[in-house]
Amino acid sequence: MDPRRAHKARRAPAGAAQPDRGQYVVLGRIRRLSVESCHCPGTVAGPRSIALEDKTVLELGAGLGLPGVTAATVGARQVLIQDQLEVSLREVTATAARNGVDDRVSTLACAWDDLGRQLPVDFREPDVVLGSCLLYEPDTSLALAGSLSQVLKGPGVAYIVAAEWEGAQDVFIDHCKEARLIVERSELHTWVPDAEQEATTMHAMFTVRTTTTTQQ
């Protein structure tokens, strides 16, 4: 079993709705993509925006695909949203349609280790790669670093937001370095409204590029 899928299964709250029950998202008017706001409902500090107008964008391990669909709403030229689960990608398509960007959003069902063979030609060197909630354990960190090494062959840059989980962040950095990728880690402070109290969580955003990529 994919370790990402196993982790999501054991962390899902009792009675939680499944993606095939229509969890599409209607987005408001947004001009620039905030990586943090695509990851969590609220942000306490450090809004960090990425200009995506006329860019090709690849989202990895999408779930419901909020970062990728949001990228399309702020002007990305083409967006490809990848996940292993067909049910998740059906909800991505519904979300894109509800937000009027389905003409620029497509999906790809495949495993990360097969990404290089499955990517359409237009996305083999995307301008931007997005990912949220992907680093669950060391095995997923290795798989994600391997995927990024396949797609970051030109001037593209990846932005990965993740919480700490069993040392996976440090393992991810190590694997990226082994793949000759440059990694920068920025600490994020986010808040998530709770029924009883506001819970503060610690996340990080990883900016990943090749050694030949200039700062964007």
Side-chain angles (χ1 to χ4, degrees), residues 52-193:
L52 293 175
E53 187 174 0
D54 204 34
K55 300 288 183 66
T56 57
V57 177
L58 170 65
E59 183 185 355
L60 298 177
L64 295 178
L66 180 56
V69 174
T70 304
T73 70
V74 300
R77 183 172 72 254
Q78 295 183 84
V79 179
L80 179 65
I81 299 180
Q82 176 273 337
D83 201 281
Q84 288 197 109
L85 303 180
E86 292 278 3
V87 62
S88 293
L89 296 178
R90 287 198 295 271
E91 301 310 323
V92 168
T93 301
T95 297
R98 291 284 299 200
N99 287 277
V101 293
D102 50 315
D103 60 326
R104 287 180 283 122
V105 174
S106 55
T107 61
L108 174 64
C110 73
W112 283 348
D113 58 7
D114 200 34
L115 192 62
R117 292 184 292 273
Q118 296 290 338
L119 279 176
V121 173
D122 291 345
F123 290 93
R124 289 183 182 171
E125 292 188 8
D127 297 313
V128 175
V129 180
L130 301 175
S132 180
C133 290
L134 301 180
L135 302 178
Y136 295 116
E137 51 195 31
D139 285 347
T140 60
S141 300
L142 173 60
L144 178 58
S147 297
L148 293 178
S149 70
Q150 295 180 60
V151 297
L152 294 178
K153 296 180 179 179
V157 180
Y159 301 95
I160 309 296
V161 176
E164 182 59 273
W165 181 259
E166 297 180 355
Q169 289 188 4
D170 290 334
V171 174
F172 173 66
I173 291 175
D174 289 342
H175 287 309
C176 284
K177 290 179 177 178
E178 290 173 3
R180 299 183 180 276
L181 297 172
I182 296 174
V183 186
E184 300 171 11
R185 175 165 52 185
S186 303
E187 188 175 273
L188 305 178
H189 298 265
T190 61
W191 62 269
V192 181

